[in-house]
Amino acid sequence: MNPILCCRDIQVRQEVHKLGVLILLWRRQLGMTQYQLADKSGLAQSYISDLESGAIDPRWSTIYRVVNGLGQLSVQDFLNGPQAIRSLKLH
């Protein structure tokens, strides 16, 4: 096995996991259930669960749907993490 490809695969899995944790943190910070986020984003609850656990490597279009389902925040705010909520509430 090519060690460079193996290393990249591990890095991709780590980033997918981080993305899932971000979704979970935002959802909890906003007081939403997986069912509520699924409904607002047009995705299945089981898909939200898989995203949060890092089992799925989503497309950007799916991330965009999740971010829109979380409410009025930008993709950049989403990627910055829930600490960005503080600045959103000031506006």
Side-chain angles (χ1 to χ4, degrees):
M1 178 179 276
N2 184 332
I4 294 173
L5 292 177
C6 181
C7 183
R8 285 187 187 149
D9 188 45
I10 290 170
Q11 289 172 332
V12 168
R13 279 190 254 152
Q14 288 173 337
E15 293 304 314
V16 168
H17 177 73
K18 287 179 191 176
L19 182 61
V21 169
L22 266 178
I23 294 168
L24 173 68
L25 291 173
W26 270 107
R27 181 179 62 74
R28 286 187 176 169
Q29 181 72 33
L30 295 169
M32 297 176 77
T33 66
Q34 286 183 347
Y35 289 101
Q36 290 170 322
L37 179 55
D39 182 56
K40 291 180 185 262
S41 61
L43 301 167
Q45 177 276 325
S46 59
Y47 195 83
I48 298 295
S49 177
D50 287 345
L51 286 171
E52 289 182 353
S53 70
I56 294 176
D57 183 359
R59 295 175 154 187
W60 273 105
S61 59
T62 302
I63 295 167
Y64 185 75
R65 289 172 70 177
V66 170
V67 170
N68 282 333
L70 289 168
Q72 294 186 340
L73 68 144
S74 68
V75 172
Q76 186 60 51
D77 286 335
F78 168 78
L79 293 173
N80 286 337
Q83 68 273 11
I85 289 174
R86 285 183 233 123
S87 64
L88 291 174
K89 289 183 179 177
L90 296 176
H91 300 295

